[in-house]
Amino acid sequence: MMVARSLLWLSLYLSLLSSAGVPLHAQSRTALQLPPLADQVQPPQRAEAAPPPALAPAPPPQMPLDFDIAIQKAADDLLSKARLDDSVEEVNIVIDPLIDGVTGAQSSATHLEERRIVELVKNRYPRFRVVPFSPESILLKQPLVLIGTFTPINNDGDASGPRDAYRICLALADLGRQTIVSKGSARALPEGVDPTPDSFFKDSPGYARDPATEAYVKSCQEKRIGDSFDQAYSEGILAATLVNQGIEAYNAGRYRAALDLYMRAVVMPGGEQLRVFNGIYLASYKLHRTRTAMDAFGRMIDFGLKNSDYLAIKFLFKPGSTQFYNDKGEHAPYNAWIGKIAERTATNQSCLEVIGHTSATGLPALNDRLSVLRADFIKERVEAEESSLQGRLLASGKGSREMLVGTGRDDPSDALDRRVEFKILRCQA
């Protein structure tokens, strides 16, 4: 009875609306404020999330240029875009010698690059004046410092691909303002490039990316115009001038002068670096000061393992063997090196992983096996020097998977690809 009466009132109400001229489509359930039917209940609508922005396509790799053209492009960018005080008519520049961006070495290529830049400054940028990289220039002339790296790369960005180009990075640093004021870059074709290290770096027994080299590379490659450069670089700039003079003296055969410069550099701020210990070792060895040379070699081992967690020693082997390479009877004193490595490891009560590496020449499986055999050979020689090291050394091999240079020349330019590394391990109780 109640349902019938409700339906009657609903029918009368709709009739009144119709007679009043209200359109039928307006006679909705909402207008009548009636609850929706169960099968018409809709879930609340959620706002659709905005689609993620499309990733910008990766920029195409730069086209490598002829070596001389690439140097000119990078130097023109550097010098023409420098943010300088317009009131200064003449700007002094010192060049902290350019280096390989991976190994930190100076080479025939980096020296040629530096000469090309000096010529360009003289011929096209009269506002700039290149002055010697010396303590006097740094202290009295307040110059800008030009730094640069020359790095073998795979031009397509394939980390495991062949090094088929060189990346040139140049930067100008203002020591007074502690900022990078200009940068320039380019890529060079490998044809005609001679990456052979100069005598000092070719003869140096040890390699590690020490803080001084890291600061140099980061200031060039990772900083932008206006950024503050690495403080460790500026703090060691005076020591760097003496180190460079020492390298020049060694390359010229002036070993006494080189040793004096390294001895002066090592006591300066930022002077305790691998290049200095290598320099003291090399100059002393040439002067037949064996005790001084081996003391420096020991300090080099301690420094490398303390600051880099590993130290690479350039034990050069005959191709495809575990026998040391003998170059006209003038090979390095490997036996003395092994003895000092054993002594310092035992004194520091360290545990080490001895890691062998090879160049890419040969089949990968053979290179893997050869790198392990070479590491085993050095491990056994070290243990034979210090019996207390039994059980504290581990040998392993990386084959050619961790090449530093990767040019595949198999000559002094990529000797570090055929290295043996010593890495600190946590000793087992």
Side-chain angles (χ1 to χ4, degrees), residues 11-27:
S11 177
L12 289 173
Y13 183 67
L14 292 175
S15 298
L16 289 172
L17 288 175
S18 179
S19 63
V22 178
L24 289 178
H25 65 75
Q27 301 166 16

Side-chain angles (χ1 to χ4, degrees), residues 323-347:
Q323 297 300 309
F324 290 135
Y325 183 73
N326 187 332
D327 184 10
K328 298 180 182 179
E330 298 180 358
H331 61 83
Y334 294 145
N335 292 336
W337 292 3
I338 290 172
K340 184 60 69 172
I341 291 168
E343 173 194 316
R344 300 312 303 156
T345 303
T347 299

Side-chain angles (χ1 to χ4, degrees), residues 297-317:
F297 189 87
R299 294 182 69 183
M300 181 190 68
I301 294 169
D302 293 341
F303 180 85
L305 295 177
K306 176 182 177 182
N307 290 276
S308 299
D309 292 331
Y310 79 94
L311 178 70
I313 302 296
K314 289 187 287 188
F315 291 110
L316 299 185
F317 296 89

Side-chain angles (χ1 to χ4, degrees), residues 353-403:
E353 180 179 8
V354 186
I355 309 169
H357 297 266
T358 72
S359 65
T361 302
L363 297 174
L366 294 179
N367 285 335
D368 286 347
R369 178 60 178 160
L370 180 60
S371 65
V372 173
L373 290 174
R374 288 173 172 173
D376 266 327
F377 174 74
I378 297 298
K379 168 181 173 291
E380 291 172 1
R381 292 286 301 274
V382 172
E383 289 174 338
E385 292 287 336
E386 286 283 350
S387 59
S388 64
L389 297 178
Q390 293 282 344
R392 288 164 53 186
L393 302 184
L394 170 69
S396 66
K398 299 293 186 181
S400 60
R401 294 187 299 279
E402 295 183 359
M403 293 184 295

Side-chain angles (χ1 to χ4, degrees), residues 52-305:
L55 294 176
Q62 295 181 24
M63 180 65 68
L65 306 170
D66 178 79
F67 180 67
D68 283 335
I69 296 175
I71 294 173
Q72 181 172 323
K73 176 187 179 300
D76 278 333
D77 286 347
L78 180 81
L79 299 170
S80 65
K81 299 176 182 178
R83 297 181 180 178
L84 304 175
D85 184 350
D86 292 336
S87 65
V88 179
E89 294 184 359
E90 185 176 73
V91 179
N92 291 316
I93 292 179
V94 295
I95 301 179
D96 189 346
L98 282 57
I99 62 174
D100 183 293
V102 176
T103 66
Q106 298 172 34
S107 66
S108 298
T110 64
H111 290 311
L112 178 58
E113 185 180 0
E114 185 174 328
R115 292 195 298 270
R116 293 286 189 268
I117 292 172
V118 172
E119 292 170 2
L120 185 68
V121 171
K122 290 180 179 179
N123 295 332
R124 299 183 56 178
Y125 295 92
R127 186 184 182 190
F128 295 98
R129 178 171 174 262
V130 179
V131 297
F133 184 53
S134 66
E136 295 77 19
S137 294
I138 296 295
L139 295 173
L140 300 178
K141 298 183 182 298
Q142 298 182 336
L144 299 178
V145 181
L146 192 157
I147 58 178
T149 58
F150 187 70
T151 310
I153 61 169
N154 176 272
N155 195 54
D156 292 328
D158 182 357
S160 61
R163 309 299 196 265
D164 55 5
Y166 287 92
R167 183 177 63 239
I168 297 173
C169 170
L170 302 176
L172 274 179
D174 186 324
L175 294 177
R177 290 186 287 169
Q178 294 284 296
T179 58
I180 301 295
V181 297
S182 190
K183 296 197 69 175
S185 65
R187 295 191 180 190
L189 294 166
E191 287 75 19
V193 174
D194 182 3
T196 304
D198 64 23
S199 296
F200 174 84
F201 290 96
K202 180 172 66 69
D203 295 346
S204 293
Y207 162 78
R209 283 288 289 266
D210 64 10
T213 302
E214 288 284 0
Y216 184 107
V217 173
K218 287 180 179 179
S219 295
C220 184
Q221 295 185 357
E222 299 181 12
K223 301 298 183 179
R224 299 180 180 181
I225 296 175
D227 287 350
S228 298
F229 54 80
D230 198 298
Q231 186 175 0
Y233 175 74
S234 60
E235 289 176 349
I237 189 71
L238 291 177
T241 63
L242 296 183
V243 172
N244 182 62
Q245 291 176 354
I247 292 173
E248 291 177 344
Y250 180 86
N251 289 338
R254 296 184 289 109
Y255 303 124
R256 286 187 176 83
L259 182 58
D260 177 66
L261 287 161
Y262 296 132
M263 288 297 195
R264 289 166 55 194
V266 76
V267 298
M268 297 179 68
E272 288 197 348
Q273 52 180 278
L274 199 70
R275 291 185 303 175
V276 173
F277 296 131
N278 272 324
I280 296 173
Y281 166 82
L282 290 173
S284 298
Y285 186 71
K286 291 290 188 180
L287 294 170
H288 306 290
R289 300 179 184 181
T290 305
R291 179 175 295 180
T292 303
M294 295 314 300
D295 285 347
F297 189 87
R299 294 182 69 183
M300 181 190 68
I301 294 169
D302 293 341
F303 180 85
L305 295 177

